[in-house]
Amino acid sequence: MQHANRLTRAARRHHRLLCTLVLLLAATDLAAAAPPDPLTLAHALDFADGHPRVEAADASWLPPRPQPLHLACHTLAFANARPADAERDTAWGRLLPPAAAQRLEIMQRFFDVLLADLSYMRDNEAMAVAYIQFDRAENRRDLGQYSPLSVAELEAAYQVIRRRRAASDAARRVTRSLLAQALGTPEDLPKNLVDAPPATDAPLPELTTVVETALADNPRVRALRDGADTAQATLVTMAVRQQALELLERLELLAVAAEQTRIEADWRDLKLDQSRTMYEMEVTADLGFSMSRQTKARRERMAVELCRTLTRAQLDALQGKPVGVVDAAGTPENGQ
């Protein structure tokens, strides 16, 4: 009996030891799968192939992907022709293989975080400016230089910006959570992201070339056409042509927007230099306001550049080409 008890205790110890080893191995695997800090776009894209959405492929029961918070490239390019277009403003789509769609989602989520951080900086600076104006008005009211109505107006304006800044702060966490979901590591929210590489200025292909390449090399398009009747195959071809045309037009429009936002940013830089000089000379100047407007211009310029990069990647994915980080010459540095 005692021998049996000793065997039972030994078995329990062995079982506890085995469970501990399993937990340690699991923790090691999770740590190895956690995104690095800081996180680059190239590293982020490496998480795509092992994502559950890729393994689940085209299962109809998959939950829908949430919309990005900031990056809406179609709406941006077409100057808000309509309030929002969820189908066109997402990088992933039904004409793409699961792995390519997941890579595009990771790219868009990554860019969404970058914009969320810059949006927070913009609103944080604007709130500081609004508070200073309100605080000065309160002091001057006590001296009889400002009316209570004017102070109330400035306080109301400050509270509006304060609320917007709180929303921007929350958006930083939400966009990081969406990126973590896209990476397949929902409990490991990325903290620091490395800025994305600049958009390429490589020449755009012709529409007919894009359509022909997509029909020949995109495995998802081929699968949709294989076994389809004539009408169904024609509809797939029409959908490919329409998407190719819209992506090419979007890139043309974004090139115009890039020039406009570059000039705007350069002007704001000069304006900030002027305000800083006047401030140092103790001449009245709203340095804080100039800083806030400069950050806003930087944010708008970044949004355009990120959309150019993302749209190029969408065009590549539609043609069955690798989705990865592209250098200034238009050559992919990685991608599958």
Side-chain angles (χ1 to χ4, degrees), residues 159-173:
Q159 291 297 336
V160 169
I161 299 175
R162 179 172 174 265
R163 177 182 175 183
R164 189 165 63 229
R165 185 256 196 192
S168 295
D169 194 20
R172 298 171 72 205
R173 294 186 292 274

Side-chain angles (χ1 to χ4, degrees), residues 44 64 163 171 244 256 281 284 288 332:
R163 177 182 175 183
V256 177
M281 296 172 61
T284 301

Side-chain angles (χ1 to χ4, degrees), residues 114-136:
L114 294 178
L115 280 184
D117 286 347
L118 203 50
S119 297
Y120 173 76
M121 289 176 57
R122 174 200 62 196
D123 294 337
N124 193 49
E125 291 177 355
M127 188 188 74
V129 171
Y131 177 78
I132 291 173
Q133 291 175 337
F134 161 60
D135 185 60
R136 287 175 178 172

Side-chain angles (χ1 to χ4, degrees), residues 291-302:
M291 292 176 64
S292 175
R293 301 301 293 182
Q294 183 205 39
T295 303
K296 180 177 181 293
R298 284 176 50 209
R299 193 261 184 207
E300 292 173 353
R301 185 178 184 183
M302 176 182 280

Side-chain angles (χ1 to χ4, degrees), residues 40-43 45 103 107 197 323-327 331-335:
T40 65
L41 178 57
H43 285 143
L45 293 174
R103 283 176 167 261
M107 184 176 289
V323 177
V325 178
V326 179
D327 61 22
T331 305
E333 296 178 6
N334 74 333

